[in-house]
Amino acid sequence: MLGYWPAVGRRLALPALATGAVCAAAMAAALVLGDGTSWSAAVPQALAAGAVGALALVAVRSTSTVVSAARTARRYGLTLGPDAVALPSVREVRIPAIEGRTAFHLTDSVRHVVEKDPSVSVQVRVTTGPKETTAVVEAHPAATYKRPDAAACWAVDRVVEQRVAQALRAETADGGAAC
């Protein structure tokens, strides 16, 4: 979890800079227009206000994101790390080729796994080759304003990856049974 916190902070750097710039501009305008302070005297106070605004945003948003992510990871029995920040979350499952099974049949076998959580958009692509079958599981937030909640996508992606692997192994256990 401690590795996740700095990764969230890095992801929030650009929004924090924008927030800091807005806070600094508002403070400078308030000092110059409201109090009649000169620009040269207002700049240090405005920069300090911008820094406080940026740090406040990073502290509040990263803390809430980390707490929520830790709760989500704990619910699924996962260990939270810096890899949970990346969006979209992409996992890959590879198994030896299953004779007599098409990509359509395998996709249909694992489709029910990805339709359970409407808040996270999950896609599964199954490709079959002569030597192996590959399933790529990709999760991303359903709405752009939910982008900071990357750990939820990561956790769901990990769980879906495990279920897809189980479904594909079950297909392997069936052997080449007729469809």
Side-chain angles (χ1 to χ4, degrees), residues 131-158:
K131 295 185 179 184
E132 72 180 0
T133 299
T134 304
V136 177
V137 181
E138 181 178 316
H140 52 85
T144 55
Y145 70 89
K146 292 185 178 184
R147 285 190 66 84
D149 196 16
C153 294
W154 169 80
V156 169
D157 202 28
R158 294 284 304 263

Side-chain angles (χ1 to χ4, degrees), residues 32 117 119 162-163 165:
V32 171
D117 190 349
S119 65
Q162 294 167 359
R163 291 181 184 161

Side-chain angles (χ1 to χ4, degrees), residues 94-116:
R94 292 180 183 267
I95 62 167
I98 304 170
E99 290 188 32
R101 301 284 199 230
T102 64
F104 177 77
H105 179 81
L106 295 172
T107 302
D108 192 47
S109 296
V110 298
R111 179 178 49 92
H112 70 281
V113 178
V114 299
E115 295 176 344
K116 295 187 180 198

Side-chain angles (χ1 to χ4, degrees), residues 31-173:
L31 289 173
V32 171
L33 298 175
D35 291 342
T37 308
S38 68
W39 280 103
S40 58
V43 168
Q45 292 175 336
L47 289 177
V52 168
L55 289 174
L57 173 79
V58 170
V60 169
R61 188 64 184 144
S62 65
T63 300
S64 67
T65 299
V66 169
V67 168
S68 173
R71 194 176 309 133
T72 302
R74 200 172 324 118
R75 182 177 335 138
Y76 291 114
L78 302 170
T79 303
L80 192 61
D83 60 329
V85 174
L87 284 175
S89 180
V90 179
R91 308 293 294 179
E92 193 171 283
V93 178
R94 292 180 183 267
I95 62 167
I98 304 170
E99 290 188 32
R101 301 284 199 230
T102 64
F104 177 77
H105 179 81
L106 295 172
T107 302
D108 192 47
S109 296
V110 298
R111 179 178 49 92
H112 70 281
V113 178
V114 299
E115 295 176 344
K116 295 187 180 198
D117 190 349
S119 65
V120 178
S121 176
V122 181
Q123 299 172 350
V124 177
R125 294 181 304 277
V126 178
T127 52
T128 57
K131 295 185 179 184
E132 72 180 0
T133 299
T134 304
V136 177
V137 181
E138 181 178 316
H140 52 85
T144 55
Y145 70 89
K146 292 185 178 184
R147 285 190 66 84
D149 196 16
C153 294
W154 169 80
V156 169
D157 202 28
R158 294 284 304 263
V159 170
V160 171
E161 173 199 16
Q162 294 167 359
R163 291 181 184 161
V164 166
Q166 290 171 352
L168 290 175
R169 284 190 204 102
E171 288 290 331
T172 303

